[in-house]
Amino acid sequence: MAKRGFRRRLRGEELYDRPDYALVGVVRIPELQQSPGRAIGKRVVFAVVALFATAIIVYLDRDGYRDVQDNPLSFLDAMYYSAVTLSTTGYGDITPFSPSARLINLLIITPLRVLFLIVLIGTTLEVLTERSRQALKIQRWRNSVRNHTVVIGFGTKGRTAVDAMIGDGIKPAEIVVVDANPDVLEAAAAEGLVTVRGDATKSDVLRLAGVAHASSIVVAANRDDTAVLATLTARELNPRAKIVASIRESENTHLMRQSGANSVVVSSETAGRLLGIATMTPSVVEVIEDLLTPDAGYAIAEREVDPTETGGSPSHTRDIVLGVVRNGVLHRVDDSEVEQIEVGDRLLYVRKGNQD
């Protein structure tokens, strides 16, 4: 019975199957921020353009309009008529009487009046248009998101992981953050990241983040049990993605492996090792920190083997090689199995920070 309930929860489609407009506030697509003065300026410009466009349309068809004084319609009269019409004041002293003038009013000037009001009306219509715009952006994003990276948890570990990926050349728009804390997601959105609000242990939330189409998934949850369940759910949705997970206790490593994680980082033990090393050789810790910071100094990277390097020793390449990845398995550089570089190998090497 418990297993059935668990599977039902994994198959939950409550969020994923919602229409795009219902996801506004759950999914947030980053956009460029602009100052209030610039936003107001754009509205005023649009209003002026709409006013002049309407006046030109009325003036070109001026013979179809009647003035209460029976005077010919001047361009000033056309501007006056456009202003009172777009603002819905409508004094009635100038009216369209010909069929063509009334048709133009119906098909062109009335839509312009609606747009004019949307631009100048105020908060209510502004919120409605913003929600519609966000829904459209969410729809486009859901249809196009592929081969991205999903980061589960945006605490200290998740934020640092994102900084490392951006420093290594990944674009912020290619990273999706999943977290249940709105304040945390606000900080992620400020950095230009796509955010999804919800519980990452639920399959519908991860499906909404595009986990099924992701190339890599970073699990940086604050609790080990959450990390295990999130990894299990992500692996069920995407059997091919590279899943890297962080846990606090080493005794949970086998659970993470069984759940589908390709790499597991034990944060408490890693920090403990660095602390122990620092007591004797603090400079080693500085070097390690340098290697783990891709945007400065040196960094650890992975690359394909150059055709001229095949058949040679990994230690005789132009780079400082730390390991060889063959058939998805990492070998130390002094391993006899990788004594000679083969076609298809990948080299784990030391490169300069920000080096292309």
Side-chain angles (χ1 to χ4, degrees):
M1 188 72 177
K3 180 183 287 188
R4 186 181 306 165
F6 175 72
R7 290 188 178 276
R8 188 183 300 118
R9 186 174 66 168
L10 287 181
R11 292 197 302 267
E13 300 175 351
E14 180 182 352
L15 274 179
Y16 184 78
D17 290 335
R18 288 183 184 178
D20 298 314
Y21 66 83
L23 296 174
V24 176
V26 178
V27 179
R28 181 172 178 180
I29 312 297
E31 59 184 333
L32 295 176
Q33 300 293 325
Q34 58 181 349
S35 65
R38 183 179 178 85
I40 293 173
K42 289 175 63 176
R43 292 184 179 192
V44 171
V45 169
F46 181 85
V48 171
V49 169
L51 179 63
F52 271 92
T54 304
I56 292 172
I57 292 172
V58 171
Y59 184 71
L60 292 177
D61 193 31
R62 55 188 177 277
D63 293 336
Y65 291 80
R66 179 184 292 115
D67 188 348
V68 291
Q69 298 177 352
D70 289 331
N71 294 327
L73 214 65
S74 65
F75 188 73
L76 178 61
D77 294 329
M79 286 287 292
Y80 164 77
Y81 172 79
S82 300
V84 298
T85 299
L86 292 182
S87 63
T88 69
T89 304
Y91 293 115
D93 48 350
I94 299 177
T95 56
F97 71 91
S98 70
S100 62
R102 292 179 176 178
L103 183 63
I104 289 174
N105 263 264
L106 178 65
L107 299 180
I108 299 178
I109 296 179
T110 298
L112 281 174
R113 180 188 301 119
V114 174
L115 291 176
F116 190 87
L117 291 175
I118 288 176
V119 170
L120 298 180
I121 193 65
T123 305
T124 303
L125 286 179
E126 180 181 3
V127 170
L128 290 176
T129 54
E130 174 63 21
R131 288 186 65 86
S132 300
R133 192 158 58 89
Q134 275 290 323
L136 183 61
K137 290 174 68 176
I138 291 172
Q139 182 184 41
R140 289 201 303 261
W141 174 78
R142 294 182 71 184
N143 291 334
S144 62
V145 62
R146 295 291 185 279
N147 299 320
H148 57 297
T149 299
V150 177
V151 178
I152 297 174
F154 201 64
T156 302
K157 292 182 292 185
R159 191 187 302 263
T160 305
V162 168
D163 290 342
M165 286 186 286
I166 293 176
D168 221 12
I170 297 179
K171 298 178 181 178
E174 297 175 355
I175 300 174
V176 180
V177 173
V178 179
D179 204 296
N181 189 330
D183 296 331
V184 165
L185 294 181
E186 191 71 29
E191 296 183 17
L193 309 175
V194 178
T195 63
V196 174
R197 178 168 54 85
D199 184 354
T201 64
K202 295 183 177 180
S203 62
D204 59 331
V205 174
L206 294 186
R207 290 178 65 195
L208 193 58
V211 162
H213 305 294
S215 60
S216 55
I217 302 165
V218 177
V219 181
N222 291 327
R223 293 166 50 101
D224 286 3
D225 54 350
T226 302
V228 170
L229 188 54
T231 301
L232 180 64
T233 308
R235 180 54 75 200
E236 183 181 41
L237 294 174
N238 191 334
R240 301 173 303 279
K242 182 194 299 180
I243 300 182
V244 182
S246 170
I247 56 175
R248 294 177 178 270
E249 304 298 335
S250 59
E251 62 186 20
N252 295 322
T253 302
H254 72 286
L255 290 176
M256 295 301 301
R257 295 284 188 184
Q258 291 176 356
S259 299
N262 300 100
S263 300
V264 181
V265 177
V266 184
S267 57
S268 58
E269 288 194 356
T270 302
R273 291 191 192 100
L274 291 177
L275 289 172
I277 293 173
T279 59
M280 302 297 295
T281 53
S283 56
V284 173
V285 178
E286 293 183 17
V287 172
I288 294 175
E289 287 288 344
D290 183 29
L291 291 174
L292 295 177
T293 308
D295 55 351
Y298 290 89
I300 300 175
E302 185 178 314
R303 67 172 176 84
E304 296 180 353
V305 170
D306 190 275
T308 60
E309 296 172 331
T310 56
S313 170
S315 59
H316 294 160
T317 63
R318 66 179 185 272
D319 298 312
I320 301 175
V321 177
L322 303 176
V324 178
V325 180
R326 178 173 296 173
N327 298 325
V329 179
L330 175 63
H331 300 272
R332 286 173 45 179
V333 71
D334 58 350
D335 193 332
S336 59
E337 292 189 26
V338 291
E339 205 169 288
Q340 290 185 333
I341 298 175
E342 298 178 359
V343 176
D345 288 347
R346 295 184 64 85
L347 302 181
L348 200 67
Y349 72 106
V350 177
R351 67 161 172 81
K352 289 185 178 180
N354 281 332
Q355 175 181 318
D356 294 330

